[in-house]
Amino acid sequence: MTISLYELVGRDPQRPFSPHCWKVAFALAHKGLDFKSVPTTFTQVPAVEDGVSPTIPVIRDGGAVVADSFAIALYLERNYPERPSLFSGEGGEAMARFIERWCQLTIHPFIGAAVLMDIHDCLAPEDQAHFRTTREARFGKRLEEVPAQRDTGLAVFRQSLEPLRSTLGMQPFIGGRQPLFCDYIVAGAFQWARVVSPFRLLEEGDPVAEWFERCLSLHGGLGARVAAA
């Protein structure tokens, strides 16, 4: 049975952009599981599977409904153990937990602020109103003011990626010779920016940029199928 993946979209239902939804899309493809995307806008999220979660991704796999990207990855790992592993064992699962926290504390804050207006501009009007209200409350300022320092902060952001950059100088993926869920966590963040914004986060020739291109090519070019903004 095909798994349904509820993915966050704007006006164009063919351009899912949520970093957390992309983690799950990559994970499903890694497992070789058939899935169909269910395009979902911000204002449609509360109705997903009778309001099972205030956020997406959410998957439906037969009678099972699972929310939260990491919980979904664990569900896939434990319910499809015969398929390629997302973690390669308990240590890989613990490593992915660390990478997730590092990504959300180091990468997401800069990207989220830098592309905030680009996200707003790709939404339908009713979702723009919701987005403006919730994000202005979160940031404590008007949306237009949030990305104002992205150019001056870019060098510091790129420097913050040095642990990832130096790791990728020794191996092709964060997970080693082959990608694991830890790769999809970080790739989802960069795909978020790539899909919604032309703002250039990485310099050409950066090992992180080269790794991201490898991630986009995985699983038959799953990530690359959505053109960059």
Side-chain angles (χ1 to χ4, degrees), residues 26 172-173 179 183-184 187 210-219 221-224:
F26 283 129
F173 293 99
D183 288 273
Y184 305 141
E210 294 171 351
W211 159 85
F212 182 48
E213 288 299 321
R214 290 195 292 276
C215 290
L216 292 176
S217 298
L218 293 169
H219 315 307
L222 175 66

Side-chain angles (χ1 to χ4, degrees), residues 20-40:
H20 308 295
C21 295
W22 273 106
K23 293 179 209 175
V24 175
F26 283 129
L28 288 162
H30 181 102
K31 284 286 190 182
L33 294 165
D34 292 332
F35 70 96
K36 67 174 181 179
S37 174
V38 183
T40 307

